[in-house]
Amino acid sequence: MRATKRRGPDTVQIAGSSLPDCSHACGSCSPCRLVMVDEDEVYWRSEKSNEELEWSYNSTHVISQLTQCFTNAMVGPRAWLAGLFNRSANKRTEKSLDKPLTPFQEQRLKKLQERLQTPFDETRPDHQEALRSLWNAAFPDFALAGLISEQWKEMGWQGPNPSTDFRGCGFIALENLLFFARTYPVSFRRLLFKQGGKRATWEYPFAVAGINVSFMLIQMLDLQSEKPKCLPGKNFVRLLGEDEAAFDVLFCAAFELMDAQWLAMQASYMEFNEVLKVTREQLERELSLEDVHRIKDLPAYNLLYQ
């Protein structure tokens, strides 16, 4: 996956961070010698009290900064973190999901798994048309020169031929991106053009990141097994019974969540896999909540804008 460099207001960026080293445990500087020399008990206690007060103030300041960092990563007023923390104790158990699937749930699961088995075929007219539709949704004012064109790099594909990027996930990754563009166009364009948040010089490439999100969800939900065995996967199949588009909606919410985590972590391009891991862990927790009966009940869904 190749990073995208910001070239203007419609593209993206990246940066890292560092922590300062401690300077009060060396034993050689003046402050350290004052602490180590126990000649005046009153003075020592006074210094210790001042240090504790200073630590208390600094730690409170750091916590405040971290809170602000996560708040800034949220999209507008839709801060889902507080609601999530209040609900985190209400988790389903494996035993509560031991009921067999209904015929309707099995039917929808099978249909989704059939989608997973469909590779992207650049010779199929319907696959070609889906790719053109994705371009038109992303750049409606710019004509596409061809299915193989340097223009595709503007969307975050690795090369001029997007079909080479679908090999690891198949046609469903394109379907996910197209669903995102059509159903939540504001969110789609916000992530595509990296609008909002403090962006870095090198950013994750949008299209390839989307394929990685699709692949992550397939693994997380254990959809390649005959029936999911993990708790998030079992719960998801029940959500699928309520909404046939549950996987596509989950993809959109997961993409938004990944971007929010990216901003909160102030991640660099080389940290993309770590951001994806944190995103997966968050979704696993959300899919284990007792009060999630529809895909739109997930806290991460609140990040989406239509």
Side-chain angles (χ1 to χ4, degrees):
M1 188 170 71
R2 197 169 63 185
T4 302
K5 185 177 182 181
R6 178 182 286 276
R7 298 189 299 126
D10 289 339
T11 45
V12 242
Q13 316 180 345
I14 292 180
S17 61
S18 60
L19 295 174
D21 293 331
C22 175
S23 59
H24 295 286
C26 62
S28 58
C29 64
S30 296
C32 287
R33 287 199 297 271
L34 285 173
V35 174
M36 294 173 66
V37 177
D38 193 17
E39 296 179 349
D40 191 334
E41 182 68 18
V42 176
Y43 179 81
W44 183 88
R45 289 179 181 275
S46 175
E47 287 294 297
K48 182 178 180 182
S49 177
N50 290 337
E51 288 177 359
E52 289 176 345
L53 288 173
E54 183 180 358
W55 181 90
S56 177
Y57 169 80
N58 289 338
S59 63
T60 302
H61 181 62
V62 169
I63 292 172
S64 175
Q65 286 184 319
L66 287 173
T67 303
Q68 186 63 41
C69 177
F70 276 94
T71 301
N72 291 340
M74 298 306 99
V75 183
R78 299 183 170 198
W80 48 270
L81 284 177
L84 175 61
F85 291 152
N86 290 333
R87 298 165 59 188
S88 60
N90 303 321
K91 292 185 177 180
R92 294 181 184 269
T93 62
E94 293 279 356
K95 189 174 181 180
S96 67
L97 292 173
D98 281 343
K99 296 179 182 179
L101 300 179
T102 66
F104 186 62
Q105 290 169 342
E106 289 187 347
Q107 179 184 4
R108 285 197 166 174
L109 175 60
K110 183 178 180 181
K111 188 174 181 179
L112 175 58
Q113 290 173 329
E114 288 174 353
R115 290 176 62 193
L116 301 182
Q117 301 303 318
T118 304
F120 179 82
D121 185 349
E122 59 184 323
T123 65
R124 285 181 54 168
D126 56 333
H127 288 198
Q128 294 174 0
E129 183 57 33
L131 204 51
R132 290 192 187 93
S133 296
L134 180 63
W135 174 269
N136 292 333
F139 305 104
D141 300 325
F142 297 92
L144 179 64
L147 292 178
I148 298 179
S149 168
E150 293 293 324
Q151 289 174 290
W152 287 110
K153 295 180 181 179
E154 296 296 322
M155 195 186 295
W157 301 98
Q158 295 188 85
N161 186 359
S163 64
T164 60
D165 290 326
F166 287 116
R167 291 171 182 167
C169 199
F171 184 59
I172 194 169
L174 176 54
E175 290 181 313
N176 288 157
L177 287 169
L178 195 51
F179 179 91
F180 194 10
R182 290 170 171 171
T183 311
Y184 305 101
V186 176
S187 281
F188 177 85
R189 294 182 67 82
R190 192 187 72 81
L191 298 191
L192 172 62
F193 298 120
K194 304 300 188 294
Q195 298 167 345
K198 185 179 180 181
R199 299 290 176 175
T201 303
W202 292 95
E203 274 280 349
Y204 63 84
F206 173 80
V208 177
I211 292 177
N212 276 270
V213 171
S214 295
F215 186 72
M216 177 270 288
L217 291 176
I218 293 169
Q219 290 192 316
M220 180 188 78
L221 300 173
D222 194 23
L223 292 177
Q224 292 177 323
S225 299
E226 182 179 358
K227 293 180 182 179
K229 300 178 180 63
C230 61
L231 181 59
K234 290 179 179 180
N235 196 24
F236 171 76
V237 174
R238 282 157 177 77
L239 302 181
L240 188 62
E242 299 296 325
D243 184 354
E244 189 172 12
F247 185 79
D248 300 277
V249 176
L250 181 60
F251 166 83
C252 301
F255 209 151
E256 273 280 17
L257 177 59
M258 185 277 292
D259 186 74
Q261 297 283 11
W262 176 275
L263 293 174
M265 295 169 65
Q266 299 182 23
S268 68
Y269 170 73
M270 297 301 293
E271 295 168 313
F272 178 81
N273 287 337
E274 180 61 26
V275 173
L276 201 62
K277 177 183 176 183
V278 172
T279 301
R280 171 173 175 163
E281 291 170 350
Q282 177 66 32
L283 289 172
E284 287 174 334
R285 286 191 291 269
E286 294 190 17
L287 283 165
S288 300
L289 296 172
E290 285 187 345
D291 54 350
V292 172
H293 305 291
R294 302 175 307 150
I295 197 69
K296 295 181 181 180
D297 291 335
L298 292 172
Y301 178 80
N302 294 317
L303 291 170
L304 288 168
Y305 282 81
Q306 297 184 9

